[in-house]
Amino acid sequence: GQTFLRFALEFLPRRKTLEESVKKVAEEAPLMAHMTQQIMADDRVVAVIGSVEDDLFGRLFQQAKFTYSFSYVWMRSAFERLAQKHSVLPEHFVGWANRHGLFSDMSLLLEGVRAFFVGDYVKAAHVLIPQVEHGLRAIAGQLGKPTTKPYPAVKGASVLINMGDVLYNDEIIVELGEDLRLFFLSIYADPRGLNLRNQLSHGDLAADECTEHLGLMILHTLLVLGVWKELAANAKKKTG
């Protein structure tokens, strides 16, 4: 448990640290700091990031992506050491992810983590990313927020809220904290970041993108879900 906690915390980016890095880069490269940037996919613009002065939050996504890329070698080494020292099984990760009762049925979590353990990163990504969304929706429910919304195409019907609905809900973020918000957004639910949830949902996550690195990031997410209450309480304590 202590090792899982340390793993979760070590690779969780902090918004304050990312902001400091962005501002430092802006001092060293002022021209780039003032330029608006576009993120392209095929023949369309999927996101626009403004200058550091006008769009600091947007610049944090770039810095987060750099951090994730740079930390891969350390994350891989930490996972190998974790596996060697504790002989961890997929069940350990699944049990940890559900420490706060986010999942009533853990069978899909177990299928996804088992797929990662045997090197089937495509299956792991496609099974686990929706479960991360399920976990965030469960967090919203535990915070007393609605987990459904009206379905505009059918009067009187409702649909489940999605990851973006959770992470762009100011009332939820007050409880969750900015570090967790940026973490989930930068990996899963914003086009300025890796945008894994949206790519997967739209059938746009290619097989060659489902790498060991991606699988490790998702596994790390499960460890973070297992301590979301503690992280949120700590963030609230600092801001309160």
Side-chain angles (χ1 to χ4, degrees):
Q2 290 180 340
T3 304
F4 274 172
L5 175 61
R6 289 164 58 192
F7 196 112
L9 295 178
E10 178 65 28
F11 298 103
L12 180 69
R14 299 321 198 263
R15 175 166 177 165
K16 182 179 179 181
T17 302
L18 293 175
E19 286 183 356
E20 291 172 351
S21 297
V22 168
K23 291 174 181 178
K24 182 178 180 181
V25 171
E27 293 175 359
E28 298 173 351
L31 179 60
M32 291 298 297
H34 284 84
M35 293 178 63
T36 297
Q37 302 175 27
Q38 294 181 336
I39 299 176
M40 305 295 296
D42 297 326
D43 58 348
R44 71 188 190 281
V45 177
V46 297
V48 176
I49 299 176
S51 67
V52 171
E53 181 178 358
D54 297 332
D55 189 18
L56 177 60
F57 188 61
R59 292 283 180 143
L60 296 183
F61 288 94
Q62 286 186 316
Q63 192 63 35
K65 286 196 291 185
F66 172 78
T67 299
Y68 298 141
S69 175
F70 179 77
S71 65
Y72 167 54
V73 63
W74 308 113
M75 184 179 285
R76 189 175 191 274
S77 178
F79 177 79
E80 289 177 348
R81 179 61 179 149
L82 166 66
Q84 293 169 1
K85 183 174 182 179
H86 297 292
S87 301
V88 289
L89 300 172
E91 288 80 359
H92 293 129
F93 281 90
V94 172
W96 180 270
N98 202 37
R99 284 180 70 242
H100 296 305
L102 299 179
F103 306 91
S104 58
D105 181 356
M106 295 182 285
S107 57
L108 282 174
L109 276 179
L110 190 55
E111 284 290 325
V113 178
R114 282 174 174 168
F116 173 84
F117 268 64
V118 298
D120 190 348
Y121 306 126
V122 173
K123 178 179 177 180
H126 283 72
V127 172
L128 291 176
I129 290 173
Q131 292 305 297
V132 172
E133 182 165 37
H134 176 99
L136 281 173
R137 189 162 48 243
I139 288 174
Q142 290 186 3
L143 292 173
K145 308 304 178 184
T147 57
T148 61
K149 61 182 180 180
Y151 182 38
V154 180
K155 186 176 180 180
S158 62
V159 294
L160 295 171
I161 60 173
N162 59 42
M163 197 179 286
D165 295 326
V166 175
L167 298 173
Y168 281 110
N169 184 313
D170 291 339
E171 293 181 358
I172 292 176
I173 298 310
V174 167
E175 301 294 331
L176 201 58
E178 286 292 337
D179 287 345
L180 286 179
R181 179 197 193 191
L182 184 61
F183 170 69
F184 285 109
L185 278 178
S186 62
I187 297 177
Y188 294 101
D190 193 288
R192 295 167 294 183
L194 299 178
N195 210 25
L196 298 182
R197 180 268 177 196
N198 294 330
Q199 286 194 68
L200 179 64
S201 297
H202 299 136
D204 203 31
L205 184 63
D208 61 3
E209 295 180 88
C210 299
T211 61
E212 180 191 44
H213 183 198
L214 183 66
L216 281 171
M217 292 180 69
I218 298 171
L219 237 60
H220 172 245
T221 302
L222 299 184
L223 298 184
V224 172
L225 286 175
V227 290
W228 80 267
K229 281 189 177 181
E230 292 83 354
L231 293 171
N234 188 54
K236 203 168 184 180
K237 182 179 179 181
K238 288 182 178 179
T239 57

